[in-house]
């Protein structure tokens, strides 16, 4: 795939050169520069800054590069190698040297010419940077899970709402046809009233290499900032890039990695984007040795106000038949959906059903990033707005709290408080290392 | 349920043991040691990177002790003693994590000492922050004069998290601190506490020259007003309005305007005034707030503004109308179809999907027909989503009356809306002169036809001369057969097959029989698969291969073995692989054995790739054996390499040592860089898995 395109400057240079040779002819500005035929003039492009350009951050950045309605103008990372790679990628794509680099996200946020940011950071940094971005008046494409803990999630949602920002979560399954269609089938009653939803997630760890051994941080990485608000811990390569997810100080294991996908889809199909469970019991198996301490096998049984049961599990074959995906079970059958365009039902004919014009239609996404850019322009709610992401993440946060204290907890989704359990309540948030704060 | 039972039992047992333990200790000594010295000893020398087993034991014990008030209290005391000892920093940090959960005001003296020490201040705050009580607040406020910047900022942040009202004065004083970071932290904290005293302190510094400090100050001030709004909206409105008049950057203006509209007595009017008078960026905030107005609100006043707005605001307002689905705004919306800006027109068209009616059908059809871009696609989508009982009927009635270009759009809409009653109307166009019209008609027929239409479709099929159209109709019929499985379908197809002498038609019908997934069809196809006529035989075997169930698996195997014709052999092979793949009763190793049988019949590289891919998707150790002879063969290399990596990943937790042997063997034979890199990484993962497994077994 060639990323090389004629950039704006080259274009102007070429066209003015041509004009210079044809002075007798009048110069008409091509319609595409004026925004006709859906070609967006450079001045109308949404200017993007990418904060965190490691693994997922780079992947998101590439998608923004491929969007004609956006232009990536700045990248920020505390790993010099990541930063340089990202800049090279952007500059190569546009054929110029314009992409600015930042070590400190605050400096990027201070730029008035940046409309939106893509945040691809470890979970423990989501809260601080997202709140700062919202306050700086940027629209935000952020990753799932929304937050490292429930209180940080609430803080992000509040900031986004107060400042009137557009937020899209990287719960991109919402932009895939099979997931949308499955949800439409459930919402339109094809399996009757749903009484149970099973959410199957991966178990164990996805090992991305690295070592538990404590060493000096590599020169290219500002490790002190990488740790940020998390409790102090010395550097080990298995703690940082990609693998941070398996340590509870920075991530939440497979549970929190995936709850914003299949848990999110479960909520979407139930119309529970702004709801949460009232009873949660979690059980997890945590490794006793090694650097990583997130649950490798887990199960969360929860109940919603209307009696609906949600079971979230990783490593349990009785949930979703041991597969990863979402399975809604209703009075008249079940529907299961998973990645790889997979969709199944107890009644196969349902799968050929079409959603009629008068039924509930969910937005057919033009692409997850494109949907975000469309909403930046229209100020409409995205497919996966902040509150929605907060609610799907909450299932995981609460399940994890229950796992850690070993008992059932009772939650009020309206006030977001845990009832009659001070120990559990103290786990809703987390004190931050000085000088970090939301 | 088993899990629930086991976990609750686990904690109950631990608790019983501990209570007995405590009781026995109470009898023997004054200081009750609910956390035995042995456990503390086990963790006191803990350093980062050490085995965490002792920490885990300690953690579980504290969890179980926290279930009972008395034992929880004693555990806290024991932990405090530990924090006063010479244990390592790492162990104290871990212990503070637990103290955070069970700590009370009793912990304050010990934690205060740690709080004022640069090395331990963070772990002390970690424990202190969630402990309720005035003593904690007092200790934090008293420590605010600590000269160390890191300690001071940490304490400010903790006071903010605790929303300690008593700290407002001290924090207010810190706004004047020469260190900008400290002043910013204090300003932020006052916003979290957000009472009127905090507000007054913040207001005093509005003229500060430092932009970052001032922005934090303003944000905090707004949070204070937000807090007032919870009690008194009117008062908050006055504050917001006054604040809004300051020289603020747009982001803060946006937040303030949000507040103004939220607290306005007449929200509808406030929004209107703001849309009329604010600059473009702030208009958008006001426009978005229309979404929050009650459903019954008359929103035509906003619609009347549409024409006067800049294009970006027009798009935003249209998207609000799209969400609100209020038809009263339609006349104003329609006017913007004349806009010069494509994105405005797209927004109009999208809005029409929710507010349009039958009178918009032709309008949308024309837009779709006359454009060849995004606008056209959106117009068709909106046409497909128009709501109302009379829409379908109107579309059907319009089809015969309009020109071909509009006919095409309306027929597309028939398919998208699944207007089944349109079957007879559009069937006529399968034989029209226009290629495009015919093509769209076949597509829509595939969407709307049911088993009830099968007879008519078959009649049409027999009468079609054009081979291309015949193929299209064959696809349409196959869709009907898949979507509407019915015993009658087989009978109709069989009858049609018997009533024609045309070999091509007969062949099509045989292929179609496969989509019925019916036993009668299976028998018929098996019989015809032995037909002497090559074309018929080929079609019958294709029919067997088309089954979406695995019943024909064995028949396809036999054909694969006995058939002499290469093309038919190949169809049988592909059908066989498909049958094995979708078979739900077979285990992974059974499948590998079947694929193994098919391998000798795979002649072309495509066929070999197909079978090897099946093997690569069967998680069985045998897969790795079967694949061995195919390594380094250029035409199947990608498939084979993927198979090795995929199967090894999937099975490495089952028997890591065995998989390791396999991977090492493959690594010694396959030398290319990509393969080496991928599988050496896998070896690292397997080693780590073995190490962790053995450690956990200890």
């Amino acid at each position: 795939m060639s990323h090389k395109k004629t950039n704006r400057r080259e274009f102007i240079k070429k066209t003015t050169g041509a004009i210079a040779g044809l002075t007798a002819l009048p110069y008409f500005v091509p319609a595409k520069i004026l925004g006709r035929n859906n070609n967006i003039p450079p001045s109308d492009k949404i200017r993007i800054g990418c904060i965190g350009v490691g693994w997922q951050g780079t992947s998101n950045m590439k998608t923004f590069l491929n969007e004609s309605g956006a232009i990536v103008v700045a990248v920020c990372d505390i790993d010099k190698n990541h930063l340089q790679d990202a800049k090279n990628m952007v500059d190569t794509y546009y054929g110029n040297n314009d992409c600015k680099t930042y070590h400190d996200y605050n400096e990027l946020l201070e730029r008035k010419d940046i409309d939106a940011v893509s945040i691809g950071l470890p979970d423990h940094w989501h809260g601080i940077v997202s709140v700062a971005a919202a306050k700086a008046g940027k629209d935000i494409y952020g990753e799932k899970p929304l937050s490292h803990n429930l209180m940080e999630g609430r803080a992000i949602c509040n900031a986004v709402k107060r400042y009137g920002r557009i937020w899209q979560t990287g719960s991109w399954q919402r932009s895939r046809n099979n997931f949308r269609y499955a949800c439409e089938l459930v919402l339109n009653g094809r399996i009757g009233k749903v009484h149970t939803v099973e959410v199957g997630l991966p178990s164990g760890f996805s090992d991305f290499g690295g070592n538990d051994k404590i060493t000096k941080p590599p020169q290219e990485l500002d490790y002190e900032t990488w740790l940020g608000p998390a409790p102090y811990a010395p550097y080990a390569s298995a703690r940082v890039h990609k693998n941070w997810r398996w340590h509870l100080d920075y991530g939440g294991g497979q549970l929190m990695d995936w709850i914003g996908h299949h848990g999110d889809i479960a909520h979407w199909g139930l119309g529970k984007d702004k709801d949460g469970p009232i009873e949660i019991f979690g059980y997890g198996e945590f490794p006793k040795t090694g650097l990583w301490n997130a649950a490798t096998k887990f199960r969360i049984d929860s109940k919603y106000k209307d009696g609906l049961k949600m079971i979230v599990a990783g490593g349990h074959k009785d949930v979703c038949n041991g597969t990863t995906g979402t399975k809604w079970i209703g009075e008249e059958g079940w529907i299961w959906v998973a990645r790889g365009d997979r969709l199944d039902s107890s009644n196969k004919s349902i799968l050929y059903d079409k959603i009629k014009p008068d039924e509930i239609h969910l937005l057919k996404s033009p692409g997850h990033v494109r949907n975000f850019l469309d909403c930046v322009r229209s100020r409409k709610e995205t497919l996966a707005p902040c509150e929605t992401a907060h609610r799907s993440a909450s299932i995981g946060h609460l399940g994890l709290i229950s796992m850690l204290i070993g008992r059932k907890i009772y939650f009020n989704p309206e006030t977001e408080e845990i009832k009659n359990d001070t120990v559990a309540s103290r786990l809703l948030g987390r004190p931050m290392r000085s000088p970090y704060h939301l | 349920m088993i899990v629930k039972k086991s976990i609750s039992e686990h904690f109950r047992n631990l608790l019983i043991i501990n209570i007995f333990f405590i009781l026995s200790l109470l009898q023997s000594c004054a200081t009750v040691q609910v956390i035995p010295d042995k456990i503390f000893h086990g963790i006191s020398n803990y350093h980062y990177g050490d085995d965490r087993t002792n920490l885990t034991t300690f953690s579980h014990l504290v969890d179980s002790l926290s279930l009972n008030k008395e034992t929880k209290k004693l555990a806290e005391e024991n932990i405090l003693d530990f924090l006063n000892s010479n244990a390592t920093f790492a162990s104290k940090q871990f212990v503070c994590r637990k103290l955070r959960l069970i700590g009370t005001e009793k912990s304050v003296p010990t934690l205060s000492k740690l709080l004022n020490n640069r090395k331990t201040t963070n772990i002390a705050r970690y424990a202190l922050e969630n402990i309720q009580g005035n003593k904690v607040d007092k200790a934090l406020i008293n420590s605010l004069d600590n000269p160390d910047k890191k300690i001071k900022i940490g304490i400010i942040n903790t006071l903010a998290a605790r929303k300690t009202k008593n700290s407002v004065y001290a924090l207010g004083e810190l706004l004047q601190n020469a260190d900008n970071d400290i002043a910013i932290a204090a300003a932020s904290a006052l916003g979290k506490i957000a009472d009127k005293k905090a507000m007054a302190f913040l207001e005093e510094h509005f003229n500060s020259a430092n932009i970052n400090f001032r922005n934090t100050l303003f944000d905090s001030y707004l949070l204070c007003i937000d807090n007032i709004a919870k009690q008194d909206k009117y008062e908050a409105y006055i504050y917001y309005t006054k604040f809004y008049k300051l020289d603020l950057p747009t982001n803060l203006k946006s937040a303030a305007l949000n507040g103004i509209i939220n607290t306005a007595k007449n929200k509808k009017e406030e929004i209107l005034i703001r849309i009329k008078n604010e600059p473009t960026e702030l208009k958008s905030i006001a426009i978005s707030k229309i979404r929050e107005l009650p459903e019954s609100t008359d929103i035509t006043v906003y619609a009347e503004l549409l024409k006067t707005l800049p294009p970006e605001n027009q798009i935003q307002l249209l998207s609000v109308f799209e969400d609100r689905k209020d038809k009263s705004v339609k006349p104003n919306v329609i006017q913007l179809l004349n806009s010069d800006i494509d994105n405005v027109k797209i927004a109009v068209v999208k809005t029409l999907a929710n507010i349009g009616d039958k009178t918009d059908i032709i309008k949308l059809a024309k837009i779709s027909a006359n454009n060849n871009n995004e606008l056209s696609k959106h117009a068709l989508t909106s046409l497909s989503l128009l709501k109302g009982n009379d829409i379908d009927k109107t579309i059907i009635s319009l089809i015969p009356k309009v020109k071909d270009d509009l006919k095409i759009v309306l027929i597309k809409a028939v398919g998208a809306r699944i207007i089944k009653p349109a079957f007879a109307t559009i069937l006529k166009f399968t034989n029209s002169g226009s290629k495009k019209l015919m093509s769209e008609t076949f597509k829509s027929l595939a969407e709307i036809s049911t088993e009830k239409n099968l007879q008519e479709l078959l009649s049409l099929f027999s009468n079609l001369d054009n081979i291309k159209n015949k193929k299209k109709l064959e696809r349409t019929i196959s869709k009907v057969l898949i979507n509407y499985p019915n015993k009658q379908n087989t009978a109709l197809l069989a009858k049609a097959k018997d009533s024609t002498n045309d070999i091509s038609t007969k062949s099509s019908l045989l292929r179609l029989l496969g989509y019925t997934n019916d036993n009668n069809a299976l028998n018929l196809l098996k019989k015809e698969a032995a037909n002497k006529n090559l074309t018929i035989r080929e079609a019958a075997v294709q029919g067997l291969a088309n089954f979406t169930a695995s019943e024909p698996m064995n028949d396809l195997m036999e054909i694969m073995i006995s058939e002499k014709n290469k093309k038919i052999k190949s169809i049988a092979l592909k059908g066989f692989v498909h049958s094995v793949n979708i078979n739900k009763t077979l285990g992974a190793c059974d499948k590998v054995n079947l694929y193994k049988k098919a391998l000798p019949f795979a002649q072309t590289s495509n066929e070999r790739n197909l079978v090897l891919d099946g093997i690569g998707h069967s998680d069985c150790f045998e897969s790795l054996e079967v694949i061995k002879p195919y390594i380094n063969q250029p035409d199947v290399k990608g498939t084979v390499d993927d198979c090795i990596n995929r199967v090894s990943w999937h099975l490495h937790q089952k028997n890591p040592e065995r998989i390791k042997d396999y991977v090492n063997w493959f690594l010694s034979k396959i030398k290319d860089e990509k393969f080496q890199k991928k599988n050496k990484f896998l070896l690292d993962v397997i080693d780590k898995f073995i190490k962790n497994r053995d450690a956990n077994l200890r």
Side-chain angles (χ1 to χ4, degrees), chain B residues 196 199 224-232 235-236 239:
Chain B
K196 283 198 173 165
M199 236 175 134
C224 294
I225 313 178
D226 291 348
N227 212 19
I228 292 173
K230 286 177 196 161
Q231 310 297 326
D232 186 343
E235 191 186 358
Y239 276 116

Side-chain angles (χ1 to χ4, degrees), chain A residues 36-38 110 135-137 161-165 207-210 214 231-234 249 281 283 287-293 301 316 344 352 354-355 357-358 361 377-380 404-407 422-423 426-427 429-438, chain B residues 3-4 7 11 48-49 51-53 63 67 93 97 100-101 103 122 125-126 129-131 150 153-154 157 188 192 212 219 222-223 226 251-252 255 258 288 291 316 319 322-323 340 342-343 374 384-388 417-418 447 482-483 681 685 688 695-696:
Chain A
R36 309 268 166 78
N37 302 325
N38 215 39
E110 276 167 21
K135 285 183 185 174
K161 197 175 173 194
R162 284 178 61 226
Y163 280 83
R165 294 299 94 205
D207 192 332
F208 296 105
I214 292 165
Y232 169 77
D249 278 352
F281 179 80
Y283 166 72
K288 291 176 190 160
T289 58
L291 191 145
W292 300 334
N293 62 3
D301 288 278
H316 289 265
D344 202 1
Y352 304 112
K354 287 283 165 72
I355 310 299
D358 286 320
H361 285 258
R377 291 177 196 283
S378 68
R379 310 313 292 171
K380 200 180 169 83
L404 290 170
I405 62 169
R407 60 180 170 268
T422 51
V423 174
R426 288 179 184 191
L427 288 167
R430 179 178 73 167
M432 290 184 175
R433 204 161 63 101
S434 178
Y436 301 97
H437 61 92
L438 281 174
Chain B
V3 169
K4 279 187 189 179
I7 191 83
F11 280 102
Y48 296 108
D51 190 304
R52 289 187 293 109
T53 311
D63 289 341
L67 294 173
Q93 184 192 44
R97 285 171 188 257
R100 176 189 168 214
L101 303 181
N122 279 319
R125 279 195 309 107
Y126 206 87
E129 196 161 297
N130 293 112
I131 299 174
K150 184 178 138 190
I153 292 181
N157 296 342
S188 173
K192 306 264 171 29
N212 287 340
D219 176 64
L222 275 172
L223 282 170
D226 291 348
N251 52 329
L252 281 158
N258 227 330
S288 286
R291 288 192 174 87
Q316 291 155 8
S319 92
E322 183 192 351
D323 287 351
D340 287 337
D342 269 1
N343 284 338
E374 284 289 303
S384 314
L385 292 172
L386 275 179
K387 284 155 193 71
R417 297 178 67 89
I418 322 139
E447 296 298 332
I482 294 167
N483 292 355
F681 175 64
V685 172
K688 203 181 272 185
N696 281 326

Side-chain angles (χ1 to χ4, degrees), chain A residues 405 407, chain B residues 11 15 62-69 71-72:
Chain A
I405 62 169
R407 60 180 170 268
Chain B
F11 280 102
L15 190 64
V62 176
D63 289 341
S64 62
L65 292 169
S66 74
L67 294 173
N68 175 283
K69 255 189 183 175
T71 52
K72 189 171 144 187

Side-chain angles (χ1 to χ4, degrees), chain A residues 14-195:
Chain A
K14 279 179 193 168
T15 45
T16 48
I19 292 156
L22 297 166
T23 43
L25 294 173
Y27 175 47
F28 294 105
V29 181
K32 68 176 187 176
I33 295 295
L34 290 175
R36 309 268 166 78
N37 302 325
N38 215 39
N39 284 302
I40 299 153
S43 60
D44 278 2
K45 289 192 182 215
I46 295 163
R47 295 169 70 84
I48 307 287
C50 297
I51 304 175
V53 281
W55 187 31
Q56 189 59 41
T58 300
S59 168
N60 293 344
M61 185 185 80
K62 283 184 194 167
T63 318
F64 277 105
L65 285 175
N66 285 318
E67 285 294 337
S68 61
I71 180 165
V72 177
V73 295
V75 290
C76 170
D77 206 290
I78 52 163
D79 185 312
K80 284 177 189 162
N81 291 346
H82 288 180
L83 192 62
Q84 194 55 47
D85 288 349
K87 179 184 163 50
N88 292 346
M89 205 177 283
V90 174
D91 286 348
T92 307
Y93 187 88
Y94 294 127
N96 58 27
N97 195 27
D98 293 351
C99 180
K100 295 277 178 290
T101 56
Y102 296 90
H103 181 89
D104 181 353
Y105 67 90
N106 287 302
E107 287 175 23
L108 184 148
L109 292 178
E110 276 167 21
R111 272 181 62 170
K112 298 277 175 266
D113 65 325
I114 290 179
D115 306 301
V117 290
S118 165
I119 301 176
L121 298 167
D123 297 355
H124 69 290
W125 263 106
H126 283 187
I128 291 175
V129 178
S130 302
V131 169
K135 285 183 185 174
K138 310 299 180 200
D139 293 323
I140 303 158
Y141 185 97
E143 265 310 321
K144 37 67 19 196
L146 180 72
S147 58
H148 180 263
N149 56 63
L150 198 132
M151 281 170 83
E152 285 178 24
R154 176 46 58 211
I156 297 171
C157 291
N158 287 347
V160 166
K161 197 175 173 194
R162 284 178 61 226
Y163 280 83
R165 294 299 94 205
I166 295 298
W167 176 285
Q168 173 83 302
T169 318
S171 299
W172 55 262
Q173 288 180 176
R174 288 196 177 216
S175 285
R176 302 292 300 200
N177 284 342
N178 64 321
F179 287 103
R180 188 199 71 248
Y181 180 51
C183 290
E184 286 177 333
L185 290 172
V186 177
L187 281 168
N188 287 301
R190 298 297 197 275
I191 52 169
K193 192 180 176 216
V194 178
H195 53 78

Side-chain angles (χ1 to χ4, degrees), chain A residues 119-385:
Chain A
I119 301 176
L121 298 167
D123 297 355
H124 69 290
W125 263 106
H126 283 187
I128 291 175
V129 178
S130 302
V131 169
K135 285 183 185 174
K138 310 299 180 200
D139 293 323
I140 303 158
Y141 185 97
E143 265 310 321
K144 37 67 19 196
L146 180 72
S147 58
H148 180 263
N149 56 63
L150 198 132
M151 281 170 83
E152 285 178 24
R154 176 46 58 211
I156 297 171
C157 291
N158 287 347
V160 166
K161 197 175 173 194
R162 284 178 61 226
Y163 280 83
R165 294 299 94 205
I166 295 298
W167 176 285
Q168 173 83 302
T169 318
S171 299
W172 55 262
Q173 288 180 176
R174 288 196 177 216
S175 285
R176 302 292 300 200
N177 284 342
N178 64 321
F179 287 103
R180 188 199 71 248
Y181 180 51
C183 290
E184 286 177 333
L185 290 172
V186 177
L187 281 168
N188 287 301
R190 298 297 197 275
I191 52 169
K193 192 180 176 216
V194 178
H195 53 78
T196 307
V197 59
E198 295 180 354
V199 177
L201 307 182
S203 56
F205 298 130
S206 305
D207 192 332
F208 296 105
N211 203 305
D212 288 6
K213 206 177 151 196
I214 292 165
T215 61
K216 267 191 173 176
Q219 251 190 337
E220 68 271 14
L221 177 69
D222 172 2
Y223 178 64
E224 172 61 24
T225 307
W226 185 92
L227 269 182
Y232 169 77
Y235 176 83
S237 57
R239 191 185 296 280
V240 295
H241 304 331
K242 289 187 184 177
N243 280 316
W244 52 262
R245 204 178 279 294
W246 320 126
H247 196 293
L248 293 175
D249 278 352
Y250 327 109
Q254 299 281 20
L255 167 65
M256 293 311 298
D257 188 18
W258 285 85
I259 197 72
H261 282 311
H262 297 313
D264 170 67
I265 292 297
H267 268 180
W268 202 26
L270 295 163
K272 288 195 180 295
D273 273 359
K274 286 171 186 166
D275 200 357
I278 54 166
E279 288 178 25
I280 307 100
F281 179 80
Y283 166 72
E285 288 177 14
F286 297 87
K288 291 176 190 160
T289 58
L291 191 145
W292 300 334
N293 62 3
T296 48
K297 188 178 175 187
F298 52 85
R299 183 187 173 107
I300 303 165
D301 288 278
S302 60
K303 202 170 104 182
Y304 284 66
K305 209 174 177 180
D306 58 3
L308 174 102
K309 280 187 206 163
M310 180 186 280
I311 307 163
V312 178
H316 289 265
K317 291 203 166 161
D318 61 318
V319 178
C320 260
N321 297 326
T323 64
T324 55
T326 308
K327 183 180 180 182
W328 299 268
I329 305 165
E331 285 165 353
E332 293 161 33
W334 55 262
I335 287 174
W336 170 82
V337 67
R339 287 192 180 180
D341 290 331
R342 288 176 297 169
L343 179 65
D344 202 1
S345 172
S346 50
N347 177 2
K348 306 289 179 241
S349 68
I350 290 176
L351 304 176
Y352 304 112
D353 244 359
K354 287 283 165 72
I355 310 299
K356 314 253 174 344
D358 286 320
E359 291 187 294
I360 300 168
H361 285 258
L362 298 171
L363 180 78
K364 194 170 182 183
S365 173
H368 211 57
V369 164
R370 175 79 61 88
N371 170 248
F372 170 66
L373 296 170
D374 286 350
C375 293
V376 168
R377 291 177 196 283
S378 68
R379 310 313 292 171
K380 200 180 169 83
E381 208 170 54
T382 62
L383 261 171

Side-chain angles (χ1 to χ4, degrees), chain A residues 146 150 154 157 259 263-264 267 272-277 304 385-396 398 411-416:
Chain A
L146 180 72
L150 198 132
R154 176 46 58 211
C157 291
I259 197 72
D264 170 67
H267 268 180
K272 288 195 180 295
D273 273 359
K274 286 171 186 166
D275 200 357
Y304 284 66
C386 204
E387 185 69 29
T388 297
H390 176 56
R391 295 299 179 166
S392 66
S394 297
I395 310 165
L398 294 166
F411 183 69
N412 180 340
E414 280 148 35
T415 60
E416 299 199 324

